[in-house]
Amino acid sequence: MSNTAKDSASTTGSQLLDKLLANNRVWSEGLSQVKPGYFEQLSKGQSPEILWIGCSDSRVCVETLTKADPGQVFVHRNIANRMIIDDNASHSVVEFAVRFLGVKHIVVAGHTHCGGVKGALSGESLGLLDEWLRPIKQVYEDNKAEIDALSTAYQRENKLSELNVINSINNIAKMPSIQDAWAKGKPLAIHGMIFQIETGLLKDLNVTVSKPQQ
Ligand SMILES: [Zn+2]
């Protein structure tokens, strides 16, 4: 366990919030000193070129692992980076990012040691989460022979994480805002990646889709 994690575990809720607020003040004041006018400039608007769709996992923070600055990446996170056709949240974030912000790249990022993927593989009931994980369980069922043939739980989880990313990409590609952007000839590519928590590295799955035929 890291020192930060130990600190978190040993502090009360109110101490933890005090620490969050104190850290925020240090960050804000530090940046303002190094870059005068930074926040005033930031408040004028955003024009990110990337939409990042990742897992809510606390270890997978796009700004930290890519050293992105505020304003560079539009972010949507949910449990197991799931994007499906009949989910209004999925549609809304893609619609806003593509139609109003004009992002040119969408990155769907899964990760190793994903609790959502492990839950979908386990076959156990997780209560309210069962419905959310149902599409991932379906991806598993559709690829059961390939996944079950792998020898370790780690390999099976990672294969399902990769297939889940590809499934999300396929669903995003069918969304009206994406089809519309491609029909108008706008440059827009959807990429798939896996963040390896144990190494800190992002792996490109090389499954990029940038036109309807793909
Ligand atoms: Zn996860």
Side-chain angles (χ1 to χ4, degrees), residues 50-51 53 104-109 165 169 172 188-193 204-210:
I50 297 172
L51 164 61
I53 295 163
K104 296 182 177 64
H105 300 274
I106 298 175
V107 176
V108 180
V165 165
I169 290 173
I172 294 167
L188 178 61
I190 314 169
H191 314 272
M193 297 188 187
D204 190 346
L205 295 177
N206 294 315
V207 290
T208 297
V209 178
S210 57

mmCIF file of all heavy atoms in Angstrom, residues 50-51 53 104-109 165 169 172 188-193 204-210:
data_model
loop_
_atom_site.group_PDB
_atom_site.id
_atom_site.type_symbol
_atom_site.label_atom_id
_atom_site.label_comp_id
_atom_site.label_asym_id
_atom_site.label_seq_id
_atom_site.Cartn_x
_atom_site.Cartn_y
_atom_site.Cartn_z
ATOM 1 N N ILE A 50 -9.599 15.286 -28.182
ATOM 2 C CA ILE A 50 -9.747 13.871 -27.826
ATOM 3 C C ILE A 50 -10.916 13.672 -26.863
ATOM 4 O O ILE A 50 -11.080 14.428 -25.905
ATOM 5 C CB ILE A 50 -8.460 13.350 -27.151
ATOM 6 C CG1 ILE A 50 -7.277 13.419 -28.115
ATOM 7 C CG2 ILE A 50 -8.641 11.905 -26.655
ATOM 8 C CD1 ILE A 50 -5.937 13.111 -27.460
ATOM 9 N N LEU A 51 -11.732 12.660 -27.165
ATOM 10 C CA LEU A 51 -12.722 12.172 -26.195
ATOM 11 C C LEU A 51 -12.183 10.866 -25.638
ATOM 12 O O LEU A 51 -11.906 9.928 -26.391
ATOM 13 C CB LEU A 51 -14.087 11.934 -26.876
ATOM 14 C CG LEU A 51 -15.095 11.077 -26.093
ATOM 15 C CD1 LEU A 51 -15.467 11.701 -24.757
ATOM 16 C CD2 LEU A 51 -16.361 10.825 -26.936
ATOM 17 N N ILE A 53 -12.893 7.655 -23.320
ATOM 18 C CA ILE A 53 -13.938 6.872 -22.661
ATOM 19 C C ILE A 53 -13.240 5.767 -21.883
ATOM 20 O O ILE A 53 -12.649 4.846 -22.462
ATOM 21 C CB ILE A 53 -14.921 6.295 -23.697
ATOM 22 C CG1 ILE A 53 -15.662 7.450 -24.375
ATOM 23 C CG2 ILE A 53 -15.907 5.342 -23.026
ATOM 24 C CD1 ILE A 53 -16.332 7.077 -25.661
ATOM 25 N N LYS A 104 -11.498 15.044 -32.712
ATOM 26 C CA LYS A 104 -11.054 14.298 -33.896
ATOM 27 C C LYS A 104 -10.693 12.854 -33.567
ATOM 28 O O LYS A 104 -10.551 12.018 -34.460
ATOM 29 C CB LYS A 104 -9.850 14.996 -34.526
ATOM 30 C CG LYS A 104 -10.182 16.388 -35.062
ATOM 31 C CD LYS A 104 -8.962 17.016 -35.734
ATOM 32 C CE LYS A 104 -9.308 18.373 -36.339
ATOM 33 N NZ LYS A 104 -9.706 19.373 -35.326
ATOM 34 N N HIS A 105 -10.510 12.593 -32.285
ATOM 35 C CA HIS A 105 -10.156 11.233 -31.869
ATOM 36 C C HIS A 105 -10.992 10.826 -30.659
ATOM 37 O O HIS A 105 -11.172 11.620 -29.735
ATOM 38 C CB HIS A 105 -8.674 11.149 -31.488
ATOM 39 C CG HIS A 105 -7.760 11.503 -32.619
ATOM 40 N ND1 HIS A 105 -7.344 10.589 -33.561
ATOM 41 C CD2 HIS A 105 -7.200 12.692 -32.966
ATOM 42 C CE1 HIS A 105 -6.560 11.191 -34.438
ATOM 43 N NE2 HIS A 105 -6.463 12.473 -34.102
ATOM 44 N N ILE A 106 -11.475 9.587 -30.703
ATOM 45 C CA ILE A 106 -12.147 9.012 -29.541
ATOM 46 C C ILE A 106 -11.310 7.815 -29.108
ATOM 47 O O ILE A 106 -10.984 6.945 -29.925
ATOM 48 C CB ILE A 106 -13.588 8.555 -29.888
ATOM 49 C CG1 ILE A 106 -14.427 9.755 -30.336
ATOM 50 C CG2 ILE A 106 -14.229 7.844 -28.695
ATOM 51 C CD1 ILE A 106 -15.830 9.400 -30.823
ATOM 52 N N VAL A 107 -10.923 7.804 -27.860
ATOM 53 C CA VAL A 107 -10.138 6.676 -27.328
ATOM 54 C C VAL A 107 -11.005 5.913 -26.330
ATOM 55 O O VAL A 107 -11.468 6.482 -25.342
ATOM 56 C CB VAL A 107 -8.862 7.162 -26.606
ATOM 57 C CG1 VAL A 107 -8.118 5.974 -25.986
ATOM 58 C CG2 VAL A 107 -7.956 7.912 -27.570
ATOM 59 N N VAL A 108 -11.252 4.637 -26.638
ATOM 60 C CA VAL A 108 -11.913 3.766 -25.664
ATOM 61 C C VAL A 108 -10.809 2.990 -24.970
ATOM 62 O O VAL A 108 -10.047 2.269 -25.615
ATOM 63 C CB VAL A 108 -12.895 2.789 -26.335
ATOM 64 C CG1 VAL A 108 -13.558 1.906 -25.275
ATOM 65 C CG2 VAL A 108 -13.947 3.542 -27.141
ATOM 66 N N ALA A 109 -10.697 3.186 -23.673
ATOM 67 C CA ALA A 109 -9.596 2.563 -22.932
ATOM 68 C C ALA A 109 -10.098 1.628 -21.844
ATOM 69 O O ALA A 109 -10.770 2.059 -20.906
ATOM 70 C CB ALA A 109 -8.707 3.644 -22.317
ATOM 71 N N VAL A 165 -13.577 -3.517 -25.223
ATOM 72 C CA VAL A 165 -13.189 -2.249 -25.860
ATOM 73 C C VAL A 165 -13.652 -2.254 -27.327
ATOM 74 O O VAL A 165 -14.244 -1.277 -27.806
ATOM 75 C CB VAL A 165 -11.655 -2.046 -25.788
ATOM 76 C CG1 VAL A 165 -11.206 -0.954 -26.755
ATOM 77 C CG2 VAL A 165 -11.250 -1.687 -24.362
ATOM 78 N N ILE A 169 -16.275 0.213 -29.278
ATOM 79 C CA ILE A 169 -15.926 0.935 -30.506
ATOM 80 C C ILE A 169 -16.976 0.680 -31.591
ATOM 81 O O ILE A 169 -17.442 1.615 -32.263
ATOM 82 C CB ILE A 169 -14.525 0.509 -31.012
ATOM 83 C CG1 ILE A 169 -13.450 1.034 -30.069
ATOM 84 C CG2 ILE A 169 -14.278 1.007 -32.441
ATOM 85 C CD1 ILE A 169 -12.050 0.535 -30.393
ATOM 86 N N ILE A 172 -20.054 2.671 -30.785
ATOM 87 C CA ILE A 172 -19.872 4.112 -31.013
ATOM 88 C C ILE A 172 -19.950 4.411 -32.507
ATOM 89 O O ILE A 172 -20.554 5.402 -32.929
ATOM 90 C CB ILE A 172 -18.513 4.586 -30.440
ATOM 91 C CG1 ILE A 172 -18.513 4.470 -28.921
ATOM 92 C CG2 ILE A 172 -18.219 6.030 -30.848
ATOM 93 C CD1 ILE A 172 -17.125 4.626 -28.306
ATOM 94 N N LEU A 188 -12.318 11.811 -38.169
ATOM 95 C CA LEU A 188 -12.735 11.322 -36.853
ATOM 96 C C LEU A 188 -12.370 9.841 -36.738
ATOM 97 O O LEU A 188 -12.831 9.028 -37.533
ATOM 98 C CB LEU A 188 -14.254 11.494 -36.690
ATOM 99 C CG LEU A 188 -14.867 10.995 -35.388
ATOM 100 C CD1 LEU A 188 -14.299 11.717 -34.180
ATOM 101 C CD2 LEU A 188 -16.388 11.154 -35.426
ATOM 102 N N ALA A 189 -11.509 9.525 -35.794
ATOM 103 C CA ALA A 189 -11.065 8.142 -35.633
ATOM 104 C C ALA A 189 -11.371 7.648 -34.217
ATOM 105 O O ALA A 189 -11.274 8.404 -33.256
ATOM 106 C CB ALA A 189 -9.560 8.045 -35.889
ATOM 107 N N ILE A 190 -11.759 6.380 -34.146
ATOM 108 C CA ILE A 190 -12.050 5.760 -32.842
ATOM 109 C C ILE A 190 -10.978 4.706 -32.579
ATOM 110 O O ILE A 190 -10.776 3.802 -33.393
ATOM 111 C CB ILE A 190 -13.443 5.095 -32.832
ATOM 112 C CG1 ILE A 190 -14.496 6.024 -33.446
ATOM 113 C CG2 ILE A 190 -13.842 4.718 -31.405
ATOM 114 C CD1 ILE A 190 -15.834 5.336 -33.707
ATOM 115 N N HIS A 191 -10.277 4.863 -31.477
ATOM 116 C CA HIS A 191 -9.147 3.983 -31.159
ATOM 117 C C HIS A 191 -9.446 3.133 -29.924
ATOM 118 O O HIS A 191 -10.226 3.535 -29.065
ATOM 119 C CB HIS A 191 -7.891 4.819 -30.853
ATOM 120 C CG HIS A 191 -7.639 5.927 -31.829
ATOM 121 N ND1 HIS A 191 -6.913 5.747 -32.987
ATOM 122 C CD2 HIS A 191 -8.026 7.232 -31.824
ATOM 123 C CE1 HIS A 191 -6.849 6.903 -33.643
ATOM 124 N NE2 HIS A 191 -7.517 7.818 -32.959
ATOM 125 N N GLY A 192 -8.785 1.990 -29.847
ATOM 126 C CA GLY A 192 -8.933 1.122 -28.673
ATOM 127 C C GLY A 192 -7.601 0.933 -27.970
ATOM 128 O O GLY A 192 -6.579 0.688 -28.614
ATOM 129 N N MET A 193 -7.603 1.081 -26.655
ATOM 130 C CA MET A 193 -6.369 0.909 -25.886
ATOM 131 C C MET A 193 -6.645 0.158 -24.585
ATOM 132 O O MET A 193 -7.788 0.080 -24.127
ATOM 133 C CB MET A 193 -5.745 2.271 -25.549
ATOM 134 C CG MET A 193 -5.324 3.053 -26.775
ATOM 135 S SD MET A 193 -4.397 4.538 -26.333
ATOM 136 C CE MET A 193 -4.250 5.304 -27.952
ATOM 137 N N ASP A 204 -1.760 0.288 -27.376
ATOM 138 C CA ASP A 204 -2.667 0.517 -28.500
ATOM 139 C C ASP A 204 -3.084 -0.846 -29.055
ATOM 140 O O ASP A 204 -2.236 -1.667 -29.412
ATOM 141 C CB ASP A 204 -1.948 1.336 -29.584
ATOM 142 C CG ASP A 204 -2.902 1.811 -30.675
ATOM 143 O OD1 ASP A 204 -4.045 1.304 -30.742
ATOM 144 O OD2 ASP A 204 -2.503 2.688 -31.454
ATOM 145 N N LEU A 205 -4.378 -1.097 -29.122
ATOM 146 C CA LEU A 205 -4.853 -2.390 -29.636
ATOM 147 C C LEU A 205 -4.865 -2.440 -31.168
ATOM 148 O O LEU A 205 -5.169 -3.483 -31.746
ATOM 149 C CB LEU A 205 -6.267 -2.681 -29.101
ATOM 150 C CG LEU A 205 -6.389 -2.881 -27.580
ATOM 151 C CD1 LEU A 205 -7.849 -3.096 -27.190
ATOM 152 C CD2 LEU A 205 -5.545 -4.056 -27.126
ATOM 153 N N ASN A 206 -4.534 -1.321 -31.810
ATOM 154 C CA ASN A 206 -4.509 -1.250 -33.284
ATOM 155 C C ASN A 206 -5.826 -1.712 -33.903
ATOM 156 O O ASN A 206 -5.850 -2.567 -34.794
ATOM 157 C CB ASN A 206 -3.334 -2.072 -33.838
ATOM 158 C CG ASN A 206 -1.993 -1.463 -33.439
ATOM 159 O OD1 ASN A 206 -1.801 -0.250 -33.539
ATOM 160 N ND2 ASN A 206 -1.085 -2.288 -32.953
ATOM 161 N N VAL A 207 -6.910 -1.186 -33.374
ATOM 162 C CA VAL A 207 -8.240 -1.526 -33.908
ATOM 163 C C VAL A 207 -8.963 -0.246 -34.342
ATOM 164 O O VAL A 207 -10.194 -0.165 -34.281
ATOM 165 C CB VAL A 207 -9.079 -2.292 -32.856
ATOM 166 C CG1 VAL A 207 -8.512 -3.685 -32.636
ATOM 167 C CG2 VAL A 207 -9.146 -1.525 -31.524
ATOM 168 N N THR A 208 -8.183 0.738 -34.775
ATOM 169 C CA THR A 208 -8.753 2.048 -35.108
ATOM 170 C C THR A 208 -9.775 1.960 -36.241
ATOM 171 O O THR A 208 -9.556 1.290 -37.244
ATOM 172 C CB THR A 208 -7.616 3.016 -35.505
ATOM 173 O OG1 THR A 208 -6.770 3.194 -34.369
ATOM 174 C CG2 THR A 208 -8.169 4.369 -35.945
ATOM 175 N N VAL A 209 -10.883 2.655 -36.029
ATOM 176 C CA VAL A 209 -11.941 2.762 -37.049
ATOM 177 C C VAL A 209 -12.049 4.236 -37.409
ATOM 178 O O VAL A 209 -12.207 5.083 -36.542
ATOM 179 C CB VAL A 209 -13.296 2.263 -36.499
ATOM 180 C CG1 VAL A 209 -14.384 2.433 -37.536
ATOM 181 C CG2 VAL A 209 -13.197 0.810 -36.064
ATOM 182 N N SER A 210 -11.942 4.535 -38.725
ATOM 183 C CA SER A 210 -12.017 5.946 -39.119
ATOM 184 C C SER A 210 -12.931 6.181 -40.312
ATOM 185 O O SER A 210 -12.972 7.278 -40.854
ATOM 186 C CB SER A 210 -10.616 6.468 -39.435
ATOM 187 O OG SER A 210 -10.017 5.684 -40.433
#
